[in-house]
Amino acid sequence: MLKAHNISVNIGAKSILKSCSVAIEPGRFTAVVGPNGAGKSSLLKVMAGETRQYSGGISLNGKALKQYKTRELSKARAVLPQHTVVNFPFTVLQVIEIGRYAHQTSAAENSAIIDEAMTLTGLTTFRDRAYQTLSGGEMQRVQMARVIAQIWDDSSEPRYLLLDEPTSSLDLAQQHALLSLAKSLCHRSIGVMAVLHDLNLAVQYADDILFLKRGETTAYGPLKKVATQAVIEQTFDHPVRLIEDRGQRVIVTETITRDQIENIHQIHHGTFSEHHINVT
């Protein structure tokens, strides 16, 4: 299990996270949602071991995260950031191969794993394409293949995949393809944590969900229990309706008035929250 206990992050006098706790379990998909500035990406960076500027504790499979060496940590968890810059003229194959650098496996085994990652992400015909010639969505799929290759092995040791807004550059079909793939990885003793902006994607794929607002937890637990109308409205300062459609929960945003927009504007100190607003 990848556990965060009472995590707080401060930048100068500004509090980014306040006593946040969450546990990513192998075999389960956890979504992290909330408005802009809620601390979602900051939490993910702390749990990935990418920063030590925090208070509280992080443990991975019962061992303090700070005790892991870089190679050991790379084999236990992989991170897909919002944006990945590749400045070298790599091919798709070479980018995905980066995911295997931490492993001491044979060339044949690495090749088989990379081929499987390409198949899972629909990249078999892109193998020798120059990475820089790809579209944004294609690049994201390559990066997804890279992180799959990084944690793909036959070990029974639990591993973790951390995704930071992974669908931001993808079209509708690609969004569902990527999240469906991430969900399927849970069957390989992998725990998935995904920061998501789209609430309907979150409720469709998550087993557990963490709601954050201004660095604090508004609700956390099994999705069916905590993803309620009251929690969503409290977290996002926006009226919604929840509809059950063929066993699937659907979130519909309500139209609001200009006065309500002004109230939201004041609540967020001059910045609109990330959801779409229809003006009546």
Side-chain angles (χ1 to χ4, degrees):
M1 187 179 298
L2 177 58
K3 296 180 66 176
H5 180 66
N6 286 339
I7 298 300
S8 294
V9 175
N10 297 292
I11 299 179
K14 184 176 182 180
S15 179
I16 307 300
L17 284 171
K18 305 173 187 177
S19 300
C20 182
S21 298
V22 63
I24 312 305
E25 297 185 35
R28 293 182 70 83
F29 188 120
T30 300
V32 181
V33 300
N36 289 335
K40 304 183 296 295
S41 293
S42 295
L43 175 63
L44 185 142
K45 289 178 181 178
V46 170
M47 296 186 70
E50 294 181 353
T51 177
R52 296 196 174 188
Q53 302 302 311
Y54 65 90
S55 62
I58 303 289
S59 64
L60 192 157
N61 296 339
K63 177 179 174 180
L65 194 69
K66 293 178 179 179
Q67 295 178 2
Y68 277 80
K69 295 181 179 178
T70 301
R71 180 182 291 272
E72 185 184 15
L73 182 59
S74 293
K75 292 190 288 186
R77 69 93 184 95
V79 183
L80 182 63
Q82 293 183 38
H83 306 288
T84 305
V85 178
V86 177
N87 292 320
F88 299 98
F90 287 164
T91 64
V92 167
L93 172 62
Q94 290 172 321
V95 172
I96 300 173
E97 283 178 332
I98 294 172
R100 298 301 302 168
Y101 283 176
H103 297 268
Q104 296 177 322
T105 44
S106 68
E109 184 175 350
N110 287 342
S111 180
I113 290 171
I114 290 168
D115 285 346
E116 190 162 6
M118 284 190 187
T119 299
L120 289 170
T121 51
L123 293 169
T124 53
T125 61
F126 289 71
R127 186 183 188 89
D128 298 316
R129 281 273 302 273
Y131 181 82
Q132 305 293 350
T133 67
L134 303 179
S135 68
E138 290 166 344
M139 287 181 178
Q140 187 73 331
R141 286 161 54 199
V142 173
Q143 294 300 330
M144 183 65 175
R146 174 185 61 78
V147 295
I148 289 173
Q150 183 176 334
I151 55 174
W152 193 270
D153 59 39
D154 294 325
S155 171
S156 60
E157 189 76 5
R159 287 144 290 140
Y160 305 90
L161 178 60
L162 309 182
L163 310 172
D164 193 1
E165 298 183 25
T167 60
S168 59
S169 61
L170 303 180
D171 62 32
L172 180 65
Q174 290 178 340
Q175 289 175 3
H176 286 278
L178 185 144
L179 292 178
S180 179
L181 174 56
K183 180 83 169 181
S184 72
L185 296 177
C186 293
H187 298 298
R188 294 184 61 95
S189 194
I190 293 173
V192 177
M193 172 181 172
V195 172
L196 295 171
H197 269 300
D198 190 321
L199 280 174
N200 279 306
L201 289 176
V203 299
Q204 185 165 348
Y205 290 96
D207 300 300
D208 304 300
I209 189 163
L210 170 65
F211 288 88
L212 290 176
K213 180 180 182 180
R214 300 192 192 101
E216 296 185 280
T217 299
T218 54
Y220 168 57
L223 182 138
K224 292 183 179 180
K225 181 178 180 180
V226 302
T228 65
Q229 178 178 342
V231 167
I232 295 168
E233 291 183 341
Q234 177 191 358
T235 303
F236 290 93
D237 297 310
H238 190 94
V240 300
R241 285 185 295 119
L242 268 59
I243 299 172
E244 293 290 336
D245 181 25
R246 291 172 291 183
Q248 177 65 47
R249 189 173 300 184
V250 179
I251 300 167
V252 179
T253 57
E254 296 281 18
T255 300
I256 63 177
T257 66
R258 290 185 181 275
D259 287 342
Q260 289 173 312
I261 291 175
E262 181 59 29
N263 289 335
I264 293 172
H265 186 76
Q266 293 173 1
I267 289 171
H268 289 266
H269 306 289
T271 59
F272 289 105
S273 53
E274 64 198 47
H275 48 265
H276 179 70
I277 296 175
N278 293 315
V279 180
T280 56

Short mmCIF file of all heavy atoms in Angstrom, two decimals, residues 54-75:
data_model
loop_
_atom_site.label_atom_id
_atom_site.label_comp_id
_atom_site.label_asym_id
_atom_site.label_seq_id
_atom_site.Cartn_x
_atom_site.Cartn_y
_atom_site.Cartn_z
N TYR A 54 7.75 18.73 2.81
CA TYR A 54 6.44 18.49 3.40
C TYR A 54 6.62 17.96 4.82
O TYR A 54 7.71 17.55 5.21
CB TYR A 54 5.66 17.46 2.57
CG TYR A 54 6.26 16.07 2.55
CD1 TYR A 54 5.91 15.12 3.51
CD2 TYR A 54 7.19 15.70 1.59
CE1 TYR A 54 6.47 13.85 3.50
CE2 TYR A 54 7.75 14.43 1.58
CZ TYR A 54 7.39 13.51 2.53
OH TYR A 54 7.95 12.26 2.53
N SER A 55 5.54 18.00 5.58
CA SER A 55 5.51 17.35 6.89
C SER A 55 4.48 16.23 6.83
O SER A 55 3.56 16.26 6.01
CB SER A 55 5.15 18.35 7.99
OG SER A 55 3.85 18.89 7.78
N GLY A 56 4.64 15.24 7.70
CA GLY A 56 3.80 14.07 7.65
C GLY A 56 4.60 12.88 7.18
O GLY A 56 5.83 12.94 7.08
N GLY A 57 3.94 11.78 6.90
CA GLY A 57 4.64 10.57 6.52
C GLY A 57 4.11 9.92 5.26
O GLY A 57 2.90 9.92 5.01
N ILE A 58 5.03 9.36 4.46
CA ILE A 58 4.68 8.58 3.27
C ILE A 58 5.35 7.22 3.40
O ILE A 58 6.55 7.13 3.66
CB ILE A 58 5.18 9.24 1.97
CG1 ILE A 58 4.64 10.66 1.83
CG2 ILE A 58 4.77 8.40 0.75
CD1 ILE A 58 3.18 10.76 1.53
N SER A 59 4.57 6.17 3.23
CA SER A 59 5.14 4.82 3.24
C SER A 59 4.70 4.06 2.00
O SER A 59 3.59 4.28 1.49
CB SER A 59 4.73 4.06 4.50
OG SER A 59 3.32 3.85 4.52
N LEU A 60 5.57 3.20 1.52
CA LEU A 60 5.29 2.39 0.33
C LEU A 60 5.57 0.94 0.71
O LEU A 60 6.69 0.60 1.05
CB LEU A 60 6.15 2.84 -0.85
CG LEU A 60 5.79 2.30 -2.23
CD1 LEU A 60 6.31 3.23 -3.33
CD2 LEU A 60 6.39 0.90 -2.44
N ASN A 61 4.52 0.13 0.66
CA ASN A 61 4.62 -1.29 1.04
C ASN A 61 5.25 -1.47 2.41
O ASN A 61 6.09 -2.34 2.63
CB ASN A 61 5.38 -2.08 -0.04
CG ASN A 61 4.66 -2.09 -1.37
OD1 ASN A 61 3.46 -1.88 -1.43
ND2 ASN A 61 5.39 -2.33 -2.45
N GLY A 62 4.85 -0.61 3.35
CA GLY A 62 5.29 -0.73 4.73
C GLY A 62 6.63 -0.12 5.06
O GLY A 62 7.09 -0.19 6.20
N LYS A 63 7.26 0.51 4.08
CA LYS A 63 8.59 1.11 4.27
C LYS A 63 8.51 2.60 3.98
O LYS A 63 7.87 3.02 3.02
CB LYS A 63 9.59 0.43 3.33
CG LYS A 63 11.00 0.98 3.36
CD LYS A 63 11.86 0.18 2.39
CE LYS A 63 13.25 0.75 2.25
NZ LYS A 63 14.08 -0.03 1.29
N ALA A 64 9.15 3.40 4.83
CA ALA A 64 9.13 4.85 4.63
C ALA A 64 9.68 5.20 3.25
O ALA A 64 10.73 4.69 2.84
CB ALA A 64 9.95 5.55 5.71
N LEU A 65 8.97 6.05 2.53
CA LEU A 65 9.37 6.40 1.16
C LEU A 65 10.78 6.98 1.12
O LEU A 65 11.54 6.71 0.18
CB LEU A 65 8.37 7.40 0.58
CG LEU A 65 8.44 7.63 -0.93
CD1 LEU A 65 7.97 6.40 -1.67
CD2 LEU A 65 7.60 8.83 -1.34
N LYS A 66 11.15 7.74 2.15
CA LYS A 66 12.46 8.38 2.17
C LYS A 66 13.61 7.37 2.29
O LYS A 66 14.77 7.71 2.05
CB LYS A 66 12.53 9.39 3.32
CG LYS A 66 11.60 10.58 3.13
CD LYS A 66 11.67 11.54 4.30
CE LYS A 66 10.74 12.73 4.10
NZ LYS A 66 10.76 13.68 5.24
N GLN A 67 13.29 6.12 2.65
CA GLN A 67 14.31 5.09 2.78
C GLN A 67 14.60 4.38 1.46
O GLN A 67 15.56 3.61 1.36
CB GLN A 67 13.89 4.06 3.82
CG GLN A 67 13.79 4.63 5.24
CD GLN A 67 13.33 3.59 6.25
OE1 GLN A 67 13.12 2.42 5.92
NE2 GLN A 67 13.17 4.01 7.50
N TYR A 68 13.78 4.63 0.45
CA TYR A 68 13.98 3.97 -0.85
C TYR A 68 15.12 4.62 -1.63
O TYR A 68 15.22 5.85 -1.68
CB TYR A 68 12.70 4.05 -1.69
CG TYR A 68 11.68 2.99 -1.39
CD1 TYR A 68 10.83 3.11 -0.29
CD2 TYR A 68 11.56 1.86 -2.18
CE1 TYR A 68 9.89 2.14 0.00
CE2 TYR A 68 10.61 0.88 -1.90
CZ TYR A 68 9.78 1.03 -0.81
OH TYR A 68 8.85 0.07 -0.52
N LYS A 69 15.95 3.80 -2.24
CA LYS A 69 16.93 4.31 -3.18
C LYS A 69 16.24 4.55 -4.52
O LYS A 69 15.18 3.98 -4.80
CB LYS A 69 18.08 3.31 -3.34
CG LYS A 69 18.88 3.12 -2.06
CD LYS A 69 20.03 2.14 -2.27
CE LYS A 69 20.84 1.99 -0.98
NZ LYS A 69 21.95 1.01 -1.14
N THR A 70 16.85 5.38 -5.35
CA THR A 70 16.20 5.81 -6.59
C THR A 70 15.80 4.64 -7.48
O THR A 70 14.66 4.56 -7.97
CB THR A 70 17.12 6.76 -7.37
OG1 THR A 70 17.42 7.90 -6.56
CG2 THR A 70 16.44 7.23 -8.65
N ARG A 71 16.71 3.70 -7.70
CA ARG A 71 16.41 2.56 -8.57
C ARG A 71 15.29 1.70 -7.98
O ARG A 71 14.39 1.25 -8.70
CB ARG A 71 17.66 1.71 -8.78
CG ARG A 71 17.45 0.50 -9.70
CD ARG A 71 18.72 -0.32 -9.81
NE ARG A 71 19.75 0.39 -10.55
CZ ARG A 71 19.89 0.34 -11.88
NH1 ARG A 71 19.04 -0.38 -12.60
NH2 ARG A 71 20.85 1.00 -12.47
N GLU A 72 15.34 1.48 -6.67
CA GLU A 72 14.33 0.67 -6.00
C GLU A 72 12.96 1.32 -6.10
O GLU A 72 11.95 0.66 -6.37
CB GLU A 72 14.73 0.48 -4.54
CG GLU A 72 13.83 -0.42 -3.75
CD GLU A 72 14.22 -0.49 -2.28
OE1 GLU A 72 15.00 0.37 -1.82
OE2 GLU A 72 13.71 -1.41 -1.59
N LEU A 73 12.91 2.63 -5.93
CA LEU A 73 11.65 3.35 -6.01
C LEU A 73 11.09 3.33 -7.43
O LEU A 73 9.88 3.19 -7.63
CB LEU A 73 11.84 4.80 -5.54
CG LEU A 73 10.60 5.70 -5.51
CD1 LEU A 73 9.53 5.12 -4.59
CD2 LEU A 73 10.98 7.11 -5.07
N SER A 74 11.99 3.45 -8.42
CA SER A 74 11.55 3.47 -9.81
C SER A 74 10.86 2.17 -10.22
O SER A 74 9.97 2.17 -11.07
CB SER A 74 12.75 3.72 -10.73
OG SER A 74 13.25 5.02 -10.53
N LYS A 75 11.27 1.07 -9.62
CA LYS A 75 10.65 -0.21 -9.94
C LYS A 75 9.33 -0.42 -9.22
O LYS A 75 8.53 -1.26 -9.62
CB LYS A 75 11.62 -1.36 -9.61
CG LYS A 75 12.85 -1.39 -10.50
CD LYS A 75 13.66 -2.65 -10.32
CE LYS A 75 14.39 -2.67 -9.00
NZ LYS A 75 15.29 -3.86 -8.88
#
